[in-house]
């Protein structure tokens, strides 16, 4: 039968009177006491902060540009514009109040709904394409 100690791990270096393992070639050993530790590569904490701050800055800049575009779109809305919403609804603006965050949209003859200005994504793509085709025909 095998030895009863076969499942026991070896003693760790520095325990039970054994000497600590000598450093392997190529590995650095801790500096002897009395000497200062060398600074961490790339600045240590400053570099870590930079790695965390850059994505946050990028998110802030992207969000800010989207907000500017949406505010510009909302300020350019006028009665009679054909628009589409975030939900994919196409309609024509029939009432708009500059002091209110809502507009009335006619989505079918006699069917009017109120939506938020922020839900409007832009002009109706079909209307834009039709206007481009008309402009091309006039130039020809």
């Amino acid at each position: 039968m095998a030895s009863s100690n076969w499942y026991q791990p070896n003693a760790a270096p520095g325990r039970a009177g054994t000497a600590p393992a000598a450093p392997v070639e190529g590995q650095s050993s801790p500096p002897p006491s009395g000497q200062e530790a060398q600074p961490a590569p790339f600045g240590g904490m400053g570099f870590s902060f930079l790695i965390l701050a850059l994505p946050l800055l990028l998110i802030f800049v992207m969000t800010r540009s989207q907000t500017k575009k949406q505010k510009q779109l909302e300020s350019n809305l006028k009665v009679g514009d054909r628009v589409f919403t975030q939900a994919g609804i196409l309609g024509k603006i029939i009432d708009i109040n500059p002091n209110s965050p809502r507009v009335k949209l006619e989505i079918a003859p006699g069917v009017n709904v109120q939506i938020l200005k922020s839900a409007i994504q832009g002009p109706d793509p079909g209307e834009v394409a039709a206007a481009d085709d008309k402009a091309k025909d006039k130039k020809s």
Side-chain angles (χ1 to χ4, degrees):
M1 178 136 191
S3 167
S4 63
N5 292 345
W6 68 271
Y7 61 90
Q8 299 235 347
N10 295 334
R15 286 193 171 178
T18 61
V24 179
E25 189 176 326
Q27 289 183 345
S28 63
S29 61
S33 57
Q35 290 184 355
E36 292 185 26
Q38 293 193 4
F42 305 112
M45 286 297 285
F47 186 69
S48 299
F49 176 75
L50 186 63
I51 287 176
L52 294 174
L54 283 176
L56 294 175
L57 180 67
L58 183 64
I59 291 170
F60 173 74
V61 169
M62 290 172 48
T63 304
R64 187 165 181 236
S65 67
Q66 287 177 337
T67 304
K68 279 184 176 182
K69 287 178 185 178
Q70 184 65 29
K71 287 193 182 289
Q72 182 183 9
L73 173 70
E74 290 175 18
S75 66
N76 291 336
L77 293 176
K78 58 186 180 294
V79 175
D81 285 350
R82 294 192 58 82
V83 295
F84 74 98
T85 67
Q86 288 179 348
I89 298 173
L90 300 171
K92 182 170 79 172
I93 297 176
I94 58 171
D95 185 31
I96 189 167
N97 183 351
N99 299 329
S100 173
R102 296 184 175 110
V103 296
K104 271 191 182 174
L105 199 66
E106 183 180 41
I107 57 176
V111 181
N112 300 332
V113 294
Q114 280 191 348
I115 64 165
L116 295 174
K117 289 179 185 176
S118 60
I120 295 176
Q121 291 291 300
D124 180 5
E127 288 288 316
V128 173
D132 289 344
D133 290 343
K134 288 180 185 178
K136 287 179 184 176
D137 289 342
K138 286 183 181 180
K139 289 182 181 178
S140 300

